[in-house]
Each structure stands twice: as structure tokens, then as C-alpha cells.
Amino acid sequence: MTSLKMCLMTLYHPIVVTEHIKKQRGKRMNWLLVAVMLLLTLAVRLFAIYLTHYPLAAVSVRKANMVLECGKLFVPILTWVLASYAMTTILDGETLFQESMLFCACALTPYVVFTVPLTLLSHLMDAGQAGVYGTAEAALLIWVIGLMILSIKEMNGYSVRKTLLIVLLSVFTMLIIWATVVLLFTISSQFVTMLREVYFEMIYRIG
């Protein structure tokens, strides 16, 4: 199955894609597809930020921070893959990390395919239809999340109940990862600030 076919099949028959990925276990990982899908997702996100009709835009072009937008896009995806893989490993899962990463990349297909026409369609709407536009955006997000949850169930052979348990534990793990990173960043920033103050104090006293 080609990379393009895998992505398109994710829209219509995602279970077939999970089965194909499992059959390819032990073979060389298609990291190119992962990289391309992540870059396409970023490109589509930037397209939406700059070209969504102004009354419907959730992010102002003037106030948009590209670094922040990249973080808001990639951090949740990468931490989800890491957290869900960790939980499935603990709870008798079968999926390898690269398999989880590959399907999550394919799961971004609905966002990549439908965000561009939705953004263009926004120019035919006004502020009174912001609810309709927001619902369409939310539907795309739910679709992507649903595909990622489906992959946990199908690729690990879990029941619905165990899948929901894994999802809850994965979300909790993501929060722990984010909190740990923020805490370490805060501590390191304070430590650097303290060293800088000590340094300037010594320079002042010596001088």
C-alpha cells in the first residue's frame, strides 16, 4: 500500500490501515510519510491562520506567534504518541512506537484535506455564521482524535473498556509530562537568574 493510499484509506477504512501497519511489523518504518504529514499539517495550519475570513478567525494574524502555533500543533501530537505508547506497553499492548507514530501521522489526513476548503469557504460566511464554522473545525478535530483512539483499540486488540482506560491514562500522562517540563523550565530559569545575579554581584564587589 502506497503512502498516498494509506492516507486516503484512513478517511474511509481506517481499520484496514491499522491491519496493514501491523502486517508490515518488522519492516523498515516509513518515516518520510510521518515527516511529510507533519509538515503538511503545519502548512495547512498556517494557511488557515493567514487566510481565514477575519470575522471567523480564532487567531489574529497580527498577534499570531509562529513558534507558539508550532508548539500548539506538534507538542500535543508527540506527547500523545509517547504517552499512549507508554500506557499500551505497560498494559499488554502490541503496538510499537513507530507504528503508533505512523498511524497518528495518517490520522492527520482529515485535517490536511478538509481545512483548506473550509478556510476558503469561510470567505462566503459572516460573523453570524461563526458557530457553523467553529462546529466544522471542531468536527475535524474530533475526527482526528477519534482515529487516534481507534488505532489504540485495533492495533492492540483491546476491548472498548480497556481502550477508554488507556485513553484516560494517556491523557493523564500527557498532563504529567507537560507539568514536569514546565516545572523543570521554571527551576532552570530561576537557577540561571540566580547565577547571573551572583556573577554581577561579584563583578561589582571586585570592581
Side-chain angles (χ1 to χ4, degrees):
M1 188 183 297
T2 63
S3 298
L4 178 60
K5 187 175 181 180
M6 280 181 63
C7 292
L8 294 178
M9 286 288 286
T10 305
L11 297 174
Y12 304 103
H13 301 290
I15 294 179
V16 174
V17 177
T18 62
E19 293 174 350
H20 173 73
I21 292 175
K22 287 193 293 185
K23 289 179 181 178
Q24 298 300 309
R25 183 168 294 164
K27 297 184 180 180
R28 187 176 180 180
M29 169 68 176
N30 191 351
W31 287 107
L32 178 60
L33 174 58
V34 174
V36 169
M37 288 304 298
L38 291 176
L39 289 175
L40 281 176
T41 302
L42 176 60
V44 167
R45 175 59 183 161
L46 297 180
F47 178 87
I49 290 174
Y50 282 101
L51 293 177
T52 298
H53 193 205
Y54 179 75
L56 305 176
V59 179
S60 172
V61 175
R62 294 180 180 179
K63 297 181 180 179
N65 184 320
M66 293 301 103
V67 175
L68 178 60
E69 292 302 322
C70 289
K72 287 165 59 177
L73 180 65
F74 292 135
V75 169
I77 294 174
L78 297 177
T79 50
W80 164 260
V81 174
L82 180 61
S84 61
Y85 171 71
M87 291 302 102
T88 55
T89 300
I90 293 171
L91 296 177
D92 304 320
E94 303 173 0
T95 309
L96 303 177
F97 177 80
Q98 56 265 33
E99 294 172 348
S100 298
M101 193 70 223
L102 178 58
F103 190 87
C104 281
C106 293
L108 296 170
T109 303
Y111 182 84
V112 171
V113 171
F114 293 107
T115 295
V116 172
L118 181 62
T119 299
L120 297 176
L121 186 62
S122 71
H123 290 271
L124 302 178
M125 301 179 180
D126 55 30
Q129 297 171 301
V132 176
Y133 185 78
T135 300
E137 284 188 315
L140 285 178
L141 180 60
I142 292 171
W143 191 351
V144 171
I145 293 174
L147 288 173
M148 292 182 177
I149 294 174
L150 177 67
S151 71
I152 291 178
K153 179 181 183 299
E154 295 299 326
M155 297 181 69
N156 293 284
Y158 288 151
S159 63
V160 174
R161 176 180 292 183
K162 193 166 186 178
T163 300
L164 293 177
L165 174 62
I166 292 294
V167 170
L168 292 175
L169 290 174
S170 298
V171 171
F172 179 74
T173 303
M174 289 172 66
L175 295 176
I176 294 296
I177 293 173
W178 294 345
T180 302
V181 171
V182 171
L183 180 61
L184 291 175
F185 178 78
T186 302
I187 293 174
S188 61
S189 296
Q190 292 177 346
F191 182 70
V192 170
T193 301
M194 182 191 70
L195 290 179
R196 183 181 302 172
E197 291 177 352
V198 170
Y199 171 76
F200 283 115
E201 181 68 19
M202 292 176 62
I203 295 296
Y204 173 76
R205 289 183 179 276
I206 293 173

